[in-house]
Amino acid sequence: MSIEIANESGVAVDTDAVLAVARHALDEMGVNPLAELSVLLVDIDYMTELNHRWMGGDGPTDVLAFPMDEGSVDHGPGETTGGAGEPALLGDIVLCPEVAAKQAATAGHSSADELHLLTVHGVLHLLGYDHAEPEEEREMFGLQARLLASWRSTRAQ
């Protein structure tokens, strides 16, 4: 699994942990080990610009996911793809640590925990999960919680 990470946010972030949680989520979801992912951490101004340009939103958001090769993502053993064995470019996850820190304070956990949650959230979006409808939200957020819990349990050992 190739995961590139760039921290252009100006905020100190444990990028090793962000990489580890992304890798864990992808592994647990059965994504082809040759898949490629990019994670970019940006400041509030750049996230505001991206949110406006791509989502039509006002102000910054916490995470954006830009899928690249949707048709070639190997979601696991139950699904076959045309280019089996070839690397799939999953896409980009963009995180804003400053927004994450504000949300973490409101939620009562650490900024690192919030960034880990947002990373898993972004991975799930790249894999085709959404939360626009209540049933989709229950499925995605339940899966997100299970992935985070399993990742935390592996780190505690």
Side-chain angles (χ1 to χ4, degrees):
M1 188 91 43
S2 172
I3 304 174
E4 298 287 326
I5 189 163
N7 185 357
E8 299 176 4
S9 69
V11 175
V13 171
D14 181 354
T15 54
D16 288 343
V18 171
L19 286 172
V21 74
R23 186 174 312 280
H24 177 80
L26 293 167
D27 287 346
E28 290 295 308
M29 294 302 293
V31 173
N32 184 325
L34 298 176
E36 298 176 14
L37 170 68
S38 169
V39 180
L40 178 63
L41 295 101
V42 299
D43 64 19
I44 283 184
D45 291 340
Y46 192 60
M47 185 59 105
T48 299
E49 180 184 325
L50 289 175
N51 190 33
H52 177 73
R53 184 183 328 152
W54 297 105
M55 305 303 291
D58 290 327
T61 190
D62 49 5
V63 58
L64 290 171
F66 298 99
M68 297 298 249
D69 232 357
E70 231 173 275
S72 67
V73 174
D74 182 354
H75 292 281
E79 180 180 307
T80 59
T81 58
E86 294 180 17
L89 182 57
L90 292 178
D92 302 316
I93 298 171
V94 183
L95 303 168
C96 185
E98 292 168 278
V99 173
K102 291 176 186 170
Q103 290 176 177
T106 300
H109 54 241
S110 72
S111 295
D113 284 343
E114 187 72 12
L115 281 172
H116 303 154
L117 180 151
L118 295 173
T119 301
V120 171
H121 190 86
V123 165
L124 290 175
H125 273 307
L126 292 180
L127 296 178
Y129 289 86
D130 201 359
H131 48 85
E133 301 296 326
E135 187 175 311
E136 293 175 333
E137 182 175 335
R138 277 191 299 279
E139 179 185 11
M140 183 177 178
F141 283 54
L143 183 54
Q144 177 178 290
R146 287 191 301 278
L147 289 168
L148 282 167
S150 68
W151 179 70
R152 289 182 182 129
S153 73
T154 62
R155 288 176 55 96
Q157 294 174 358

